[in-house]
């Protein structure tokens, strides 16, 4: 939620596609750990660090694609959600999109591989990384006026959303950390709320 607009645990369950009982229990655990009060985040950076420590690591498939724009323009039928350099560069304009990291569903892996090969892709470290993981990420991508590549049209970019983008940029390291901190400050997540330690 935007700063100052917290959601109920029930609303979080609906957004996350999990049972309400699980959402309530998890919010309660985060509250016991001092990260939140209700669903209002008290310690954003520490909550991001916690997320990094428990996240499911996606399986990466690397390609060098001569023209990666062709993967997303025109918009593919397969689900995806851009993260790291591409998502940050199109939304906040700080990083060069040196690599296109795209969360995809395992069910679409063959389709993405074929699309990459049709563009002359070579397998191995390069400029496109397909991240195979939780299908929810690709199926619930954000979309707004942000375009894949302004020079070639208005095809909307589907991206992970700022909290996961920040997590992925911290994990990327180096200039990704700088970009993550800039996003957190821009969103008002940089402030730390002092709370008393529990005895």
């Amino acid at each position: 939620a935007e700063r100052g607009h917290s959601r109920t645990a029930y609303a979080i369950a609906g957004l996350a596609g999990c049972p309400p009982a699980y959402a309530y229990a998890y919010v309660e655990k985060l509250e016991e750990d001092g990260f939140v009060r209700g669903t209002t985040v008290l310690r954003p950076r520490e909550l991001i660090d916690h997320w990094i420590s428990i996240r499911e690591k996606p399986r990466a498939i690397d390609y060098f694609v001569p023209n990666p724009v062709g993967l997303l323009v025109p918009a593919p039928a397969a689900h995806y959600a851009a993260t790291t350099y591409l998502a940050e560069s199109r939304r906040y304009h700080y990083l060069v999109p040196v690599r296109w990291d795209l969360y995809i569903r395992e069910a679409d892996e063959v389709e993405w591989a074929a699309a990459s090969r049709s563009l002359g892709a070579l397998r191995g470290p390069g400029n496109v990384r397909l991240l195979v993981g939780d299908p929810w990420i690709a199926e619930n991508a954000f979309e707004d006026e942000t375009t894949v590549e302004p020079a070639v049209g208005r095809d909307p970019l589907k991206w992970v959303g700022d909290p996961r983008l920040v997590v992925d940029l911290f994990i990327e390291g180096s200039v990704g950390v700088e970009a993550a901190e800039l996003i957190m400050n821009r969103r008002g997540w940089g402030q730390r709320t002092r709370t008393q330690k529990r005895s």
Side-chain angles (χ1 to χ4, degrees), residues 2 82-95 142-148 157-163 165 169 183 186-187:
E2 293 295 324
T83 191
T84 64
Y85 301 99
L86 176 61
E88 192 288 330
S89 71
R90 298 302 186 260
R91 299 221 4 104
Y92 294 102
H93 317 291
Y94 182 70
L95 298 176
F142 289 81
E143 185 178 318
D144 59 16
E145 311 83 45
T146 306
T147 59
V148 171
L157 178 68
K158 295 179 181 179
W159 54 283
V160 293
D162 287 349
L165 177 57
L169 287 167
I183 293 168
R186 187 166 173 180
R187 293 293 305 265

Side-chain angles (χ1 to χ4, degrees), residues 42-109:
L42 300 176
R43 296 171 21 219
R45 179 56 201 263
E46 289 89 346
L47 183 58
I48 293 288
D49 290 340
H50 174 68
W51 186 354
I52 289 169
S53 74
I54 64 168
R55 83 186 194 359
E56 177 185 330
K57 186 176 178 182
R59 178 171 50 90
I61 305 168
D62 292 308
Y63 289 98
F64 173 77
V65 181
N67 181 16
V69 173
L71 287 172
L72 304 181
V73 177
H79 292 283
Y80 78 91
T83 191
T84 64
Y85 301 99
L86 176 61
E88 192 288 330
S89 71
R90 298 302 186 260
R91 299 221 4 104
Y92 294 102
H93 317 291
Y94 182 70
L95 298 176
V96 173
V98 293
R99 190 179 66 232
W100 290 27
D101 291 336
L102 307 173
Y103 281 99
I104 65 168
R105 303 181 311 176
E106 187 171 21
D108 298 330
E109 185 177 337

Side-chain angles (χ1 to χ4, degrees), residues 165-177:
L165 177 57
V166 166
V167 164
D168 289 345
L169 287 167
F170 274 123
I171 291 165
E172 185 65 23
S174 186
V175 295
V177 172

